[in-house]
Amino acid sequence: MSSPILYTLRQCPYAIRARLGLLLAEINFEQRDIDLRQKPTDMLAISNKGTVPLLVFENGDYVDESLEVMIWALNNNDPHDLLLSQKPHYFPEMLSLIARNDYKYITALEHYKADTRYHNPEAPVYRKLCESFLFDLESRLSQHKYLMADQLSLADYAILPFIRQFSHVERQWFREADYPNLKQWLSDLYQDPIFSKAMTKYPLWESCTNTQATQHNDLTVISE
C-alpha cells in the first residue's frame, strides 16, 4: 500500500498541525510543499478548495481539515498516547479546548496580526482578546506541565502552532509578557525533535515530477 500524500505549506499553522500529527503517529507519508500563489494542478484536481493541509489516500479519499488529519493519524497509531487512552474523559475536554482555539482565539489572532502589520491602533484590543485564551493556558500550565496533564496530549500539539504564531507578532512584547509557564511550554515543545522535523524546509513540489517530494518513513526524512 502506498503512503498517503500531504500537500502542505511550511509556515501555515494548520499545515504544521497536520505534519505534527502524522509524524507523532509515525505514519509514512509523502510531503509535497506548495506555493499557494501557484497551486499544483494535481492538488486542485483532488479538491478545488485549494487549501492546505490536504491529505490524499491511495483510493482517492482525502482529508482537508488539520485536526481531522491529527485524529485520523493518532487513531491509527498513538505511540505517545497523545489521546490519553487511559483517561477517556479527557478527550471531550481536549476537543473543547481546541475548539476555543480554532473558533475564538484564531479569529482574534488574525485581526491582531493584520492590525499590527498595518499599524492599526486597534491591535492592542485584539491582542487583549487573544490573551483571554492565553490566560487560561497559563493557568492550566501552572497546575501541570502540559495543557491537560503532566504528559503531552493532542491538545498541546494542536494548539502549539497558533501560540507560536502569536508569539511572533510582537516578539519584544511577548518576551516581556508575564506568561512564564506558557513560555516554558513553548520552549519545551520547540526542543522536541518532532517539531524540528515538522518545520524542515524542502523544495517546492511541482506537478508531473517527483523530484521535489519528501518521503517520511518511520520518522526518517529522505530527500529524493
Side-chain angles (χ1 to χ4, degrees), residues 4-20:
I5 296 167
L6 180 71
Y7 291 92
T8 182
L9 188 66
R10 182 171 178 267
Q11 292 292 350
C12 170
Y14 295 99
I16 294 171
R17 177 190 271 181
R19 296 196 302 271
L20 284 169

Side-chain angles (χ1 to χ4, degrees), residues 68-197:
E68 291 181 16
V69 172
M70 294 192 86
I71 293 173
W72 171 83
L74 294 172
N75 277 331
N76 275 274
N77 188 39
D78 189 7
H80 309 286
D81 194 25
L82 298 176
L83 296 180
L84 304 181
S85 60
Q86 301 305 310
K87 305 169 184 177
H89 59 285
Y90 275 2
F91 187 67
E93 185 180 344
M94 281 194 280
L95 293 183
S96 177
L97 185 62
I98 295 167
R100 282 186 59 200
N101 175 86
D102 289 8
Y103 299 109
K104 291 186 177 181
Y105 166 75
I106 289 176
T107 299
L109 177 59
E110 290 300 320
H111 282 287
Y112 174 44
K113 289 192 305 176
D115 287 352
T116 300
R117 183 181 306 119
Y118 296 110
H119 308 288
N120 189 315
E122 291 189 357
V125 174
Y126 287 104
R127 183 178 67 205
K128 185 65 70 175
L129 288 174
C130 291
E131 286 190 274
S132 66
F133 185 58
L134 268 58
F135 287 146
D136 184 19
L137 301 186
E138 179 71 15
S139 176
R140 286 172 173 271
L141 293 167
S142 70
Q143 300 171 52
H144 28 70
K145 188 173 182 180
Y146 300 109
L147 294 180
M148 302 303 301
D150 284 324
Q151 71 178 89
L152 283 161
S153 72
L154 167 68
D156 293 283
Y157 288 106
I159 291 171
L160 168 63
F162 302 93
I163 304 304
R164 172 180 180 267
Q165 196 171 63
F166 177 91
S167 73
H168 288 179
V169 178
E170 293 179 288
R171 293 173 187 263
Q172 185 62 34
W173 181 92
F174 188 76
R175 281 195 291 269
E176 296 172 357
D178 188 22
Y179 293 109
N181 297 307
L182 190 62
K183 290 175 187 176
Q184 185 61 55
W185 174 82
L186 274 175
S187 177
D188 290 345
L189 289 174
Y190 286 164
Q191 294 174 41
D192 186 337
I194 294 290
F195 182 75
S196 296
K197 285 182 180 292

Side-chain angles (χ1 to χ4, degrees), residues 36-85:
L36 288 179
R37 294 167 298 182
Q38 296 179 308
K39 298 174 185 177
T41 55
D42 50 357
M43 171 185 165
L44 294 175
I46 297 163
S47 170
N48 59 14
K49 185 178 175 182
T51 60
V52 293
L54 177 64
L55 184 67
V56 184
F57 302 100
E58 185 178 21
N59 65 0
D61 290 343
Y62 64 86
V63 181
D64 61 3
E65 295 292 339
S66 60
L67 184 59
E68 291 181 16
V69 172
M70 294 192 86
I71 293 173
W72 171 83
L74 294 172
N75 277 331
N76 275 274
N77 188 39
D78 189 7
H80 309 286
D81 194 25
L82 298 176
L83 296 180
L84 304 181
S85 60

Side-chain angles (χ1 to χ4, degrees), residues 1-6 27-31 55-58 72 215-217:
M1 179 177 179
S2 63
S3 301
I5 296 167
L6 180 71
I27 300 288
N28 298 338
F29 68 100
E30 181 183 313
Q31 181 170 325
L55 184 67
V56 184
F57 302 100
E58 185 178 21
W72 171 83
Q215 189 75 28
H216 293 259
N217 296 307

